[in-house]
C-alpha cells in the first residue's frame, strides 16, 4: 500500500464526554479524528479523508448512526463501518446491518479494549483491501499497455488511430462532465483491439475507404465484439468491454434519449461511434472540422450532443517540428513524423505512433537482422493528454470527472 495513505479512524458521537474519553483512551494507539454529528462527519470524510474506519453512535440528533453509515457506504464503500450504541434492540441491529452495511455492532457500555480490538480489525481489513486494489490496478495497467503495444506491433496504423480516439473520448468526457473517466479511457484505448484478428490488407482497404466484399465487411464489423470478449477476461472491465462492443451498433430509439437515461456503457459506445466515424474521415484525407460537419443532423445516425462536444477539441491545431534521427538516437516516448521501414520494405511503425518499449525492441531486432532505412523523422513527444499512455489514475478506483 502507498506509504502516503494513512489508516485513520473517525469516531462520531453527539456526547462530548464520550468523545473526550476516546481521545484519552485511544490517542496512544490510533490515528483518529472525532465528529459530534453525522453531517459534520460527512464533511470531514469528503474534505479530510481518506479514513479507514468510521465508528458511529446510533442515537444522534438530525441524523442517526444508521443513516450516517448508509451514506458512508454509498460514498466511501471501502470504509469499514462500526456501530456503537446503547440501543441494543434487535430491530436496530437488523437495520444497522442491512442499511448501514456495518462490519461490527457494539453495545454500550463497551470496554475500551473491545472497541480497540474492533477498530484494529477494521484497520487490517481496510489495509488489505487497499493493498489488493493497488495490486489489481498495477496488474491491470500493465495488461492494458501490453495489449495496446501488441496491437501496434501487428497493425502499426491502429496506434495512430488510438491517439485520436483517446483524445476525442477524453474531450467529450470532460465536456459532458461524465464520471469514472478511466472506464471511457480504457474503452478508447482498446476500441480497436479486436483488429488483432484481422489481416493487414483488410485494414489497409478499410483505411483507404475501399468498398469491402460481404465476407470482409462481416469480419470488420465483428471486430468490436471480438475486442469486447478479449477484455472481459480482465477484472472490472465489463463496462469498458460493453462500450467497445457497441461502437458499430445502430442507436435506434436511443439516438434522441436524454444522456441521463442511458447507462455508462451506452454513453461510451455512442461516443466511440462518433469518434470512429470522425477518425475514418480523417484517415481518408478529411480535415477534423470537415469530418464533424459530415455528421451533422439526425440522418447521420450519431448523437448530436456528443458531436457538439467534439467541436472544441481541434485535432488539427497540433503542429510539431520534426527532425531526423538514426537508430542509435531512437528512444521510448518519441513521436514519429514518418514511417519506419526495414531495408526489405516492411513497415515497422507508422507516422503518428509513439515509440514503446516493445516497438523499440522489434525495430532493434530488424536493425540487427535485415537493416533499416535511416534516418527517421521524429517529433517532440506529445503531452500526456494527447498520447495513448494509460493515465496514472486509470484503474478501477480511479475517476476523471
Amino acid at each position: 500500500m502507498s506509504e502516503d495513505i494513512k489508516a485513520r479512524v473517525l469516531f462520531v458521537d453527539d456526547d462530548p464526554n464520550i468523545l473526550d474519553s476516546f481521545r484519552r483512551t485511544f490517542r496512544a494507539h490510533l490515528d483518529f479524528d472525532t465528529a459530534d454529528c453525522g453531517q459534520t462527519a460527512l464533511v470531514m470524510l469528503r474534505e479530510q479523508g481518506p479514513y479507514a474506519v468510521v465508528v458511529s453512535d446510533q442515537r444522534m440528533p438530525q441524523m442517526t448512526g444508521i443513516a450516517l453509515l448508509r451514506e458512508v457506504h454509498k460514498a466511501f464503500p471501502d470504509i469499514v463501518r462500526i456501530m456503537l450504541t446503547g440501543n441494543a434492540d434487535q430491530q436496530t441491529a437488523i437495520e444497522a446491518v442491512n442499511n448501514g452495511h456495518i462490519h461490527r455492532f457494539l453495545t454500550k457500555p463497551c470496554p475500551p479494549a473491545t472497541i480497540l480490538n474492533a477498530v484494529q480489525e477494521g484497520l487490517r481489513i481496510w489495509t488489505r483491501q487497499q493493498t489488493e486494489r493497488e495490486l489489481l490496478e498495477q496488474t491491470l495497467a500493465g495488461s492494458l499497455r501490453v495489449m495496446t503495444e501488441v496491437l501496434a506491433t501487428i497493425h502499426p496504423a491502429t496506434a495512430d488511430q488510438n491517439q485520436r480516439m483517446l483524445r476525442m473520448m477524453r474531450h467529450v468526457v470532460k465536456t459532458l462532465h461524465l464520471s469514472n473517466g478511466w472506464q471511457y479511457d480504457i474503452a478508447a484505448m482498446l476500441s480497436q483491439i479486436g483488429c488483432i484478428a484481422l489481416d493487414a490488407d483488410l485494414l489497409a482497404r478499410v483505411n483507404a475507404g475501399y468498398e469491402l466484399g460481404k465476407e470482409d465487411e462481416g469480419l470488420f464489423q465483428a471486430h468490436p465484439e471480438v475486442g469486447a470478449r478479449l477484455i472481459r477476461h480482465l477484472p472490472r472491465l465489463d463496462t469498458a468491454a460493453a462500450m467497445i462492443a457497441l461502437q458499430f451498433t445502430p442507436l435506434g430509439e436511443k439516438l434522441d434519449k436524454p444522456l441521463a437515461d442511458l447507462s455508462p456503457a451506452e454513453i461510451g459506445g455512442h461516443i466511440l461511434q462518433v469518434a470512429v466515424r470522425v477518425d475514418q474521415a480523417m484517415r481518408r484525407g478529411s480535415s477534423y472540422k470537415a469530418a464533424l460537419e459530415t455528421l451533422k443532423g439526425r440522418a447521420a445516425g450519431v448523437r448530436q450532443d456528443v458531436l457538439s462536444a467534439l467541436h472544441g477539441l481541434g485535432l488539427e491545431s497540433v503542429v510539431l517540428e520534426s527532425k531526423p534521427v538514426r537508430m542509435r538516437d531512437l528512444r521510448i516516448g518519441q513521436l514519429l513524423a514518418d514511417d519506419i521501414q526495414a531495408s526489405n520494405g516492411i513497415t515497422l511503425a507508422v507516422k503518428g505512433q509513439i515509440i514503446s518499449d516493445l516497438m523499440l525492441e522489434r525495430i532493434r531486432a530488424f536493425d540487427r537482422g535485415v537493416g533499416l532505412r535511416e534516418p527517421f523523422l521524429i517529433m517532440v513527444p506529445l503531452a500526456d493528454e494527447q498520447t495513448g499512455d494509460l493515465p496514472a489514475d486509470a484503474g478501477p478506483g480511479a475517476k476523471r470527472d
Side-chain angles (χ1 to χ4, degrees):
M1 186 179 66
S2 300
E3 294 181 359
D4 57 343
I5 299 179
K6 293 182 178 180
R8 298 162 58 212
V9 180
L10 180 62
F11 288 102
V12 188
D13 201 303
D14 64 317
D15 188 334
N17 294 322
I18 291 178
L19 294 181
D20 285 340
S21 71
F22 288 158
R23 296 186 189 100
R24 291 192 304 270
T25 306
F26 300 131
R27 62 186 176 187
H29 305 281
L30 301 171
D31 182 2
F32 68 94
D33 295 315
T34 60
D36 60 5
C37 67
Q39 291 88 341
T40 299
L42 291 174
V43 171
M44 293 177 67
L45 288 167
R46 287 192 297 266
E47 298 180 359
Q48 300 179 31
Y51 288 93
V53 178
V54 171
V55 181
S56 176
D57 183 31
Q58 161 60 3
R59 290 188 173 179
M60 297 183 293
Q62 297 182 331
M63 178 179 286
T64 66
I66 292 175
L68 168 62
L69 295 182
R70 182 171 58 243
E71 293 303 312
V72 173
H73 173 67
K74 290 179 183 178
F76 311 96
D78 285 351
I79 291 179
V80 177
R81 297 163 293 278
I82 297 174
M83 172 72 73
L84 177 62
T85 178
N87 185 12
D89 65 89
Q90 186 179 20
Q91 186 58 39
T92 300
I94 292 173
E95 288 185 22
V97 171
N98 292 341
N99 297 328
H101 301 272
I102 68 164
H103 172 67
R104 292 287 299 273
F105 185 92
L106 304 176
T107 58
K108 296 178 181 178
C110 186
T114 302
I115 299 174
L116 181 60
N117 288 338
V119 170
Q120 289 177 333
E121 180 184 3
L123 291 173
R124 287 191 293 270
I125 292 172
W126 183 85
T127 301
R128 184 171 63 250
Q129 289 175 341
Q130 302 310 303
T131 302
E132 291 173 352
R133 180 185 294 276
E134 285 193 4
L135 178 61
L136 172 62
E137 293 178 3
Q138 291 167 7
T139 302
L140 176 60
S143 300
L144 296 180
R145 287 194 176 94
V146 169
M147 294 176 76
T148 55
E149 289 180 12
V150 167
L151 177 61
T153 301
I154 297 173
H155 298 306
T158 58
D160 183 31
Q161 183 179 10
N162 275 347
Q163 313 303 320
R164 292 189 295 271
M165 295 286 287
L166 182 59
R167 289 189 64 194
M168 286 188 277
M169 178 66 83
R170 287 183 176 175
H171 186 77
V172 173
V173 167
K174 181 179 180 181
T175 302
L176 298 181
H177 307 290
L178 303 176
S179 60
N180 292 323
W182 67 272
Q183 294 182 347
Y184 296 90
D185 271 11
I186 291 171
M189 289 174 61
L190 298 180
S191 61
Q192 309 305 303
I193 197 68
C195 291
I196 286 177
L198 304 177
D199 64 62
D201 178 65
L202 172 56
L203 283 181
R205 284 183 283 128
V206 170
N207 293 339
Y210 293 136
E211 186 174 345
L212 300 178
K214 185 176 181 180
E215 182 178 352
D216 284 345
E217 181 66 28
L219 288 172
F220 181 70
Q221 291 291 324
H223 89 73
E225 183 54 42
V226 173
R229 286 201 304 268
L230 283 173
I231 72 166
R232 283 191 189 109
H233 295 297
L234 296 173
R236 303 182 73 173
L237 290 191
D238 288 347
T239 299
M243 293 178 186
I244 292 171
L246 291 171
Q247 63 183 290
F248 288 163
T249 303
L251 302 188
E253 63 178 15
K254 294 178 180 177
L255 183 63
D256 300 315
K257 276 193 172 184
L259 210 61
D261 293 344
L262 303 179
S263 69
E266 291 171 330
I267 295 171
H270 297 170
I271 297 172
L272 284 179
Q273 288 199 22
V274 179
V276 165
R277 298 272 293 276
V278 171
D279 182 75
Q280 285 176 344
M282 292 181 68
R283 281 185 284 129
R284 295 166 186 172
S286 175
S287 69
Y288 178 68
K289 183 177 180 181
L292 295 180
E293 288 295 319
T294 63
L295 298 179
K296 274 190 173 180
R298 193 180 188 282
V302 299
R303 289 192 63 98
Q304 296 299 297
D305 49 2
V306 173
L307 186 68
S308 298
L310 280 171
H311 276 280
L313 177 56
L315 280 178
E316 300 156 311
S317 63
V318 179
V319 179
L320 300 172
E321 182 180 2
S322 62
K323 66 175 183 178
V325 298
R326 302 191 71 82
M327 180 63 227
R328 62 177 177 272
D329 299 316
L330 203 60
R331 299 287 185 272
I332 295 171
Q334 290 174 335
L335 176 67
L336 295 180
D338 205 352
D339 296 353
I340 293 181
Q341 293 184 327
S343 296
N344 59 7
I346 294 177
T347 299
L348 304 176
V350 298
K351 176 182 177 180
Q353 277 192 276
I354 293 174
I355 298 295
S356 66
D357 51 358
L358 181 61
M359 188 189 307
L360 185 57
E361 285 303 315
R362 184 171 186 245
I363 294 170
R364 285 172 176 167
F366 270 84
D367 183 40
R368 292 190 296 266
V370 301
L372 303 172
R373 294 178 180 177
E374 300 183 76
F376 322 120
L377 289 178
I378 67 165
M379 297 177 180
V380 176
L382 292 174
D384 286 347
E385 71 169 10
Q386 299 170 348
T387 74
D389 291 340
L390 187 70
D393 67 343
K399 294 184 180 179
R400 183 179 280 104
D401 295 336

